[in-house]
């Protein structure tokens, strides 16, 4: 008896149609989830939104990376490069608010990252209670929730040397960009660099000074060193900063290799920014390295 191929062909056609229908259903479900959750979380600047802690990682001895999950794995936070968010928490009988810069890319879906420097109680005589919000955030466990608001900011980077104010006013095109970061103040710079250096068409030259109290305090050191090594348009200098007290001097070092390249004394009353400007004015080449 001779078998016909028609039943087999019909079966295969039905199977393909079923798979196609299933794929369509999956896409529709995902689309519905995105619609219900919203393409972006932060749609109203003054509204508060709830996010859930997904991951808690130590970056340095006193800096943590916190990853917060959004409502959907397909949802984006909804911010521009240069903007930050506000985190709210009720600590005791106080409602505490602090600004933090997302260090994840603006196109990240499903979650966003912030870096938090922890100020523990009993360390500083000036602030014996430490940082209320930083200690609270450090105490959070995966699954805990917190309120955020935003985005906030005065300027945004639109890419390829183009900046604009928050109200949309375009600023003159930038060919060279200078950045000065102190401690955890490096987070806005990381946000910018991760966007700018990922765009091969962005020809903006970036010169950055990273100021820290010690080598152990350097945040994202390997990442910044890799940028300096692999991107000709990015130059990095480091400063060791020891704040002055009373009549003592403070010292800075801006090395090209190691931490012994530059060592200058400054009188009390200055700050990290002015000390850097003074040193760069006196030796504009020693601080930069690739």
């Amino acid at each position: 008896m001779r078998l016909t191929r028609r039943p087999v062909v019909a079966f295969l056609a039905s199977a393909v149609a079923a798979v196609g229908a299933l794929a369509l259903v999956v896409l529709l479900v995902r689309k519905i989830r995105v619609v219900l959750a919203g393409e972006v979380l932060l749609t109203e600047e003054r509204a508060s939104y709830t996010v859930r802690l997904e991951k808690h990682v130590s970056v340095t001895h006193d800096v943590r990376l916190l990853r917060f999950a959004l409502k959907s794995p397909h949802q984006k936070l909804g911010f521009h490069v240069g903007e930050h968010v506000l985190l709210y928490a009720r600590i005791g009988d106080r409602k505490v608010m602090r600004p933090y810069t997302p260090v994840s890319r603006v196109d990240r879906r499903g979650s966003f990252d912030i870096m938090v420097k922890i100020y523990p109680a009993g360390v500083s005589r000036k602030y014996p209670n430490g940082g209320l919000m930083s200690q609270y955030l450090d105490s959070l466990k995966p699954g805990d929730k917190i309120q955020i608001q935003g985005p906030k900011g005065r300027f945004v980077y639109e890419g390829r040397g183009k900046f604009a104010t928050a109200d949309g006013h375009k600023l003159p095109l930038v060919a060279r960009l200078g950045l000065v970061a102190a401690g955890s103040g490096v987070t806005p710079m990381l946000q910018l660099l991760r966007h700018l250096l990922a765009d091969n068409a962005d020809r903006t030259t970036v010169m950055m000074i990273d100021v820290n109290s010690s080598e152990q305090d350097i945040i994202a050191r390997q990442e910044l060193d890799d940028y300096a090594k692999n991107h000709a348009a990015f130059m990095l200098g480091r400063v060791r900063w020891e704040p002055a007290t009373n009549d003592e001097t403070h010292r800075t070092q801006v090395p090209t290799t190691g931490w012994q390249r530059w060592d200058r004394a400054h009188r009390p009353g200055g700050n990290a920014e002015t000390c850097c400007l003074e040193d760069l004015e006196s030796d504009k080449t020693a601080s930069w390295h690739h």
Side-chain angles (χ1 to χ4, degrees):
M1 181 177 179
R2 187 175 181 180
L3 296 176
T4 178
R5 294 184 179 180
R6 289 182 180 177
V8 176
V9 172
F11 172 77
L12 291 176
S14 299
V16 170
V19 171
L22 179 60
L24 181 60
V25 169
V26 170
L27 290 175
L28 287 174
V29 169
R30 288 181 178 177
K31 185 65 176 178
I32 291 172
R33 286 179 177 175
V34 170
V35 170
L36 292 177
E39 176 69 16
V40 299
L41 178 68
L42 303 177
T43 56
E44 298 182 29
E45 181 182 341
R46 297 183 180 277
S48 294
Y49 302 87
T50 301
V51 293
R52 174 177 51 83
L53 183 66
E54 187 176 87
K55 184 183 292 186
H56 181 290
V57 180
S58 292
V59 177
T60 70
H61 64 99
D62 61 357
V63 174
R64 311 288 182 259
L65 183 143
L66 303 181
R67 176 165 296 170
F68 292 96
L70 302 177
K71 293 181 179 179
S72 160
H74 311 290
Q75 188 179 52
K76 294 186 290 186
L77 179 59
F79 69 100
H80 297 91
V81 177
E83 293 183 320
H84 61 272
V85 297
L86 302 178
L87 270 62
Y88 290 86
R90 183 161 293 280
I91 304 174
D93 58 351
R94 296 179 56 184
K95 186 175 183 180
V96 182
M97 177 274 293
R98 294 289 186 273
Y100 290 97
T101 301
V103 294
S104 43
R105 287 175 52 89
V106 296
D107 55 0
R108 163 86 75 81
R109 293 182 182 272
S111 65
F112 70 96
D113 298 340
I114 63 171
M115 285 187 182
V116 180
K117 183 176 177 65
I118 311 303
Y119 296 92
V123 174
S124 170
R125 284 181 292 181
K126 187 175 181 180
Y127 302 103
N129 295 325
L132 292 179
M133 179 62 91
S134 68
Q135 292 179 87
Y136 175 81
L137 292 174
D138 196 32
S139 71
L140 294 180
K141 302 294 188 293
D144 290 342
K145 297 179 179 180
I146 195 168
Q147 297 291 114
I148 69 169
Q149 188 182 96
K152 308 284 186 178
R154 297 173 59 189
F155 301 97
V156 298
Y157 184 64
E158 298 179 332
R160 303 179 186 180
K162 293 180 289 185
F163 283 87
T165 60
D167 58 5
H169 177 69
K170 305 296 183 181
L171 300 177
L173 194 67
V174 173
R176 292 180 295 177
L177 187 62
L179 307 176
V180 178
S184 58
V186 74
T187 55
M189 316 308 176
L190 287 175
Q191 183 199 80
L192 172 64
L193 292 172
R194 288 174 177 178
H195 178 86
L196 189 154
L197 297 177
D199 183 0
N200 293 328
D202 197 324
R203 304 301 181 188
T204 309
T205 297
V206 181
M207 296 173 286
M208 175 175 164
I209 300 175
D210 188 17
V211 185
N212 293 278
S213 298
S214 69
E215 288 192 77
Q216 290 70 36
D217 292 316
I218 299 176
I219 299 173
R221 180 172 191 167
Q222 188 61 56
E223 179 179 355
L224 292 172
D225 286 348
D226 287 344
Y227 287 155
K229 179 181 178 181
N230 299 321
H231 295 270
F234 178 66
M235 291 174 282
L236 173 67
R238 287 202 171 94
V239 173
R240 187 180 69 186
W241 175 255
E242 297 177 6
T245 57
N246 300 326
D247 293 329
E248 298 176 3
T249 60
H250 56 259
R251 307 180 72 83
T252 63
Q253 291 181 326
V254 184
T256 50
T257 57
W259 280 76
Q260 290 74 41
R261 177 61 183 85
W262 223 6
D263 194 342
R264 299 179 184 275
H266 298 271
R267 299 307 304 169
N271 56 50
E273 182 177 356
T274 57
C275 103
C276 294
L277 293 177
E278 292 171 7
D279 284 342
L280 290 177
E281 186 64 28
S282 60
D283 188 341
K284 295 180 179 177
T285 60
S287 63
W288 305 111
H289 68 92
H290 285 287

